[in-house]
Amino acid sequence: MITPILMLGAGRMGGAMIEGWLAAGAFAGSDLMIRDPNPGPSALAAERAGAVLNPPEADLARAATVVLGVKPQVWREAAAETAAWLGSGAVIVSIAAGVKSADIAKAFGGRSVARVMPTTAAAIGQGTASVFADDPAALARAHALFEPLGTVVSLTDETLMHAATAVSGSAPAYLYAFIETLEAAGTAAGLSAKEAQRLARSTLTGAAALLARSGEEPAELRRQVTSPGGTTQAALDVLLAGNGLPDLMREAVAAAVRRSKELGA
């Protein structure tokens, strides 16, 4: 039994999960209980679809699955407010970055825990979720929650969640930042802001779709559009030079890994 699902926090990521579930028909609004002092549009839409918003503590005992979706800095407070009210068989599925399974299990009275690092594209069924759990039942519970929302990758070692956060959970922001800077470079080269925006966004979303559909390696697709001595090669000579994109990306991922470890300390 996976439902009712209790959402502790329904911010940007929790809201994306709710939107994805409802759009896919994976869960009905009536399958959800949401605790959030400042509910956003996704939580309010779920309430209109039958979800219980900010239920009284006594109702929390009905929850079969608890999604810990609050910010890492306040997760202990959320656990302290709810753990005593939960049924003994409730499974905790945490999306709090950096917070260790053992700490979550202890705070929730020894209940089974799965950790997940998802992405907000879950809202449109194209999310990516990195999952870890020692308990096979908790792992299966996490898969059941996130498979309707996109791709699920199971990790064999909890310490890899830091790298998964850096490479997947945080990575949409890297792409958005790249698009922002590409658009700015386009305007600097003489395009209007609207022209640069349409060209950059359409080209990159098309390239991403081709990568997903073709099955080709990124390096091969890059070679296919790079003529020796051409314009693309000239640009790549800058991007891939020393202290360029490869070094910057390694530094960025390393910084995200460090921060993930700090959040869990």
Side-chain angles (χ1 to χ4, degrees), residues 32 80 86 97 104 112 210 219 227:
L32 306 177
L86 299 174
I104 297 168
S112 294
L210 179 60
S227 300

Side-chain angles (χ1 to χ4, degrees), residues 191 194-204:
L191 295 169
K194 184 175 181 180
E195 289 166 342
Q197 180 185 99
R198 293 186 66 192
L199 286 169
R201 297 182 191 190
S202 177
T203 299
L204 290 178

Side-chain angles (χ1 to χ4, degrees), residues 55-224:
E57 283 84 354
D59 286 359
L60 304 186
R62 297 193 299 112
T65 306
V66 180
V67 176
L68 182 59
V70 297
K71 295 183 184 301
Q73 295 89 340
V74 298
W75 78 269
R76 289 187 184 278
E77 179 181 337
E81 291 174 351
T82 57
W85 298 96
L86 299 174
S88 59
V91 174
I92 314 302
V93 177
S94 171
I95 62 172
V99 184
K100 299 181 181 69
S101 295
D103 293 334
I104 297 168
K106 183 177 180 180
F108 280 94
R111 292 175 175 85
S112 294
V113 174
R115 284 185 59 191
V116 183
M117 178 47 59
T119 63
T120 52
I124 58 170
Q126 295 189 39
T128 303
S130 307
V131 177
F132 173 81
D134 280 325
D135 178 5
L139 184 65
R141 187 69 57 91
H143 273 263
L145 290 181
F146 285 92
E147 283 177 355
L149 305 179
T151 299
V152 180
V153 177
S154 291
L155 303 178
T156 57
D157 186 331
E158 184 170 8
T159 61
L160 295 175
M161 288 296 292
H162 299 300
T165 298
V167 173
S168 179
S170 299
Y174 312 162
L175 177 61
Y176 302 144
F178 183 86
I179 294 170
E180 284 183 89
T181 56
L182 181 58
E183 290 177 4
T187 59
L191 295 169
S192 70
K194 184 175 181 180
E195 289 166 342
Q197 180 185 99
R198 293 186 66 192
L199 286 169
R201 297 182 191 190
S202 177
T203 299
L204 290 178
T205 56
L210 179 60
L211 173 65
R213 190 170 300 176
S214 70
E216 296 276 9
E217 291 296 316
E220 175 57 28
L221 292 173
R222 173 173 56 82
R223 284 191 288 270
Q224 290 175 13

